[in-house]
Amino acid sequence: MFTTTVTVRGYETDANGHVNHAVYHQYGEHGRTEFLRVAGLDVPDLTAAGLGPVILESTVRFLAELRVGDEVEVALDVRFGEGKTFRMDTELRRGEQVCATLTGVMGLLDHATRRLVADPRGRMLALADPETGPQLLGRPSEAAPEK
């Protein structure tokens, strides 16, 4: 499990005083980007290798409102299978309360072929920081989707 934190800013809220629905996706994207950065896989490095992460499916379940000033923990659970896709599921938490869940199916796009790579975990491990990458990318999981 990987975690990072964001603070709700005023411009992220709507007329009801809570975080706009689209911003939840942005918090999920922030978590995914931080996960890759800490693993040693900054987007510019992936781009230089001709690769890029893609979101194939994303669903948000809203459970409690977030308001200006709330400290939000973005907690990611990353699971790889044997196929071309992997899961990056996220909980947005305020303290112990889960305020939203984001479920996502991801892939790793080969920029030259415009197709998903066959082994995204393996390709990421080859490029990742040798210390943090294996810890964060872990082992393949049978729970990940196969496509």
Side-chain angles (χ1 to χ4, degrees), residues 80-124:
F80 291 88
E82 299 299 322
K84 295 179 179 182
T85 64
F86 57 98
R87 293 194 64 93
M88 284 187 123
D89 295 333
T90 306
E91 286 185 352
L92 301 180
R93 304 175 186 149
R94 180 182 50 237
E96 296 298 316
Q97 182 180 28
V98 176
C99 296
T101 60
L102 295 85
T103 57
V105 177
M106 307 284 295
L108 190 60
L109 182 71
D110 180 312
H111 289 167
T113 64
R114 307 310 290 177
R115 300 280 183 243
L116 298 179
V117 300
D119 178 16
R121 180 179 171 273
R123 292 291 290 274
M124 285 196 246

Side-chain angles (χ1 to χ4, degrees), residues 1-5 31 34-35 38 73-76 91 93 136:
M1 181 76 63
F2 172 81
T3 62
T4 189
T5 304
E34 281 299 293
F35 169 86
V38 172
E73 181 182 55
V74 181
L76 275 79
E91 286 185 352
R93 304 175 186 149
L136 290 172

Side-chain angles (χ1 to χ4, degrees), residues 12 25 28 38 50 57 75 105 130 144:
E12 297 171 329
H25 287 283
V38 172
E57 180 181 312
V105 177

Side-chain angles (χ1 to χ4, degrees), residues 21-68:
H21 67 282
V23 176
Y24 287 78
H25 287 283
Q26 293 172 350
Y27 291 168
E29 183 65 20
H30 175 74
R32 288 186 291 273
T33 302
E34 281 299 293
F35 169 86
L36 292 172
R37 185 188 64 75
V38 172
L41 297 165
D42 278 329
V43 173
D45 296 331
L46 287 170
T47 301
L51 301 169
V54 292
I55 301 170
L56 304 170
E57 180 181 312
S58 179
T59 303
V60 179
R61 187 165 174 237
F62 304 98
L63 303 170
E65 61 182 357
L66 293 169
R67 300 177 64 96
V68 172

